[in-house]
Amino acid sequence: MHDEGRQLVVAVDGPSGSGKSTISRRVAQALNARYLDTGAMYRAVTYAVLRDNVDLSDAVKIAAVAEDVQLTIGTDPAAPHISVDGTGVDREIRGPEVTQAVSAVSAVPAVRALLVARQRAIIAEAERIVVEGRDIGTVVAPEADLKVYLTADAAERARRRSSENATNQAATAADLERRDRLDSTRAADPLRQAEDAVVLDTTALGIDEVVERVRRMLDKVTA
């Protein structure tokens, strides 16, 4: 059992469509923990960059937007939310414009430095928290109690994402491949599996099965 007096941090990484958000929220609810979607933070900054008509090749101006923008992040797994300068943007940050631009914005080192610091501060304030993203186990929370790297085959990830967003599966597959390639080859904090992460292939697993496996992993590391 987990020592109630000690902080518990679960890091969940993986590519788009692997089930990170659904699994992380469900695990957080099961643990009565907080939940942090770091991808939403990069998307929120991207939303602000697009709102301000900043050129996606201008790293200095992108960094300035990230410095100035006020992000409010709700970490309740039952109702996570994020706002930009006081305006809720949960739906807007999932739109195609932000999705197309987020890899470029999140590749800017100054943006990553700012948001990683913010993410670490949120983690530090939580008694227990499940954090999902692409660099949690390697960069944001390398000392996490449990690191899980979720994956699934490319076709299944595209199927899931296209059904979520009601988009064309072939176009979605191409976009996922593009983002994964950009995010795994960027110089700053690339998408990669932590050496001590447990790899969990969700291709043939239902949500309940994945949540149960993660909980069993947690029982082992917190025993």
Side-chain angles (χ1 to χ4, degrees):
M1 292 294 291
H2 174 60
D3 177 357
E4 292 297 335
R6 190 172 67 83
Q7 188 188 38
L8 176 68
V9 179
V10 179
V12 181
D13 289 300
S16 301
S18 57
K20 292 193 306 290
S21 296
T22 303
I23 301 306
S24 297
R25 286 179 65 180
R26 286 277 299 273
V27 170
Q29 287 176 295
L31 295 173
N32 193 27
R34 310 313 292 172
Y35 159 72
L36 178 60
D37 176 0
T38 63
M41 296 173 70
Y42 288 101
R43 284 175 172 272
V45 171
T46 303
Y47 170 88
V49 166
L50 296 174
R51 177 198 63 187
D52 294 352
N53 295 311
V54 172
D55 190 313
L56 290 176
S57 64
D58 192 333
V60 173
K61 286 187 178 176
I62 288 173
V65 171
E67 184 82 54
D68 292 342
V69 72
Q70 293 293 316
L71 300 183
T72 305
I73 301 129
T75 58
D76 178 353
H81 68 85
I82 192 160
S83 65
V84 170
D85 295 328
T87 301
V89 293
D90 298 286
R91 190 170 56 82
E92 289 81 357
I93 64 171
R94 304 295 172 184
E97 295 85 1
V98 169
T99 296
Q100 190 71 25
V102 67
S103 288
V105 172
S106 59
V108 176
V111 173
R112 301 204 72 82
L114 276 167
L115 292 188
V116 167
R118 180 76 186 274
Q119 290 154 14
R120 287 175 175 162
I122 292 169
I123 292 167
E125 291 171 3
E127 180 183 330
R128 44 177 63 195
I129 189 167
V130 179
V131 190
E132 65 141 302
R134 291 177 169 232
D135 63 345
I136 311 307
T138 53
V139 176
V140 178
E143 304 301 318
D145 298 271
L146 175 65
K147 300 177 190 177
V148 181
Y149 190 89
L150 291 182
T151 188
D153 71 41
E156 175 62 15
R157 293 194 292 116
R159 186 195 66 75
R160 291 174 184 172
R161 187 50 56 90
S162 63
S163 64
E164 277 174 23
N165 299 340
T167 50
N168 175 272
Q169 188 166 328
T172 300
D175 186 58
L176 291 183
E177 193 278 329
R178 176 189 66 83
R179 285 186 55 211
D180 289 342
R181 184 179 67 254
L182 289 171
D183 291 351
S184 59
T185 57
R186 66 180 175 232
D189 309 340
L191 163 67
R192 63 185 175 86
Q193 175 196 329
E195 289 183 5
D196 54 347
V198 180
V199 179
L200 187 50
D201 189 326
T202 68
T203 304
L205 298 176
I207 293 168
D208 291 341
E209 290 176 277
V210 180
V211 171
E212 183 55 34
R213 290 195 187 193
V214 173
R215 291 193 65 179
R216 285 207 300 266
M217 291 176 201
L218 263 173
D219 287 342
K220 288 181 182 176
V221 300
T222 60

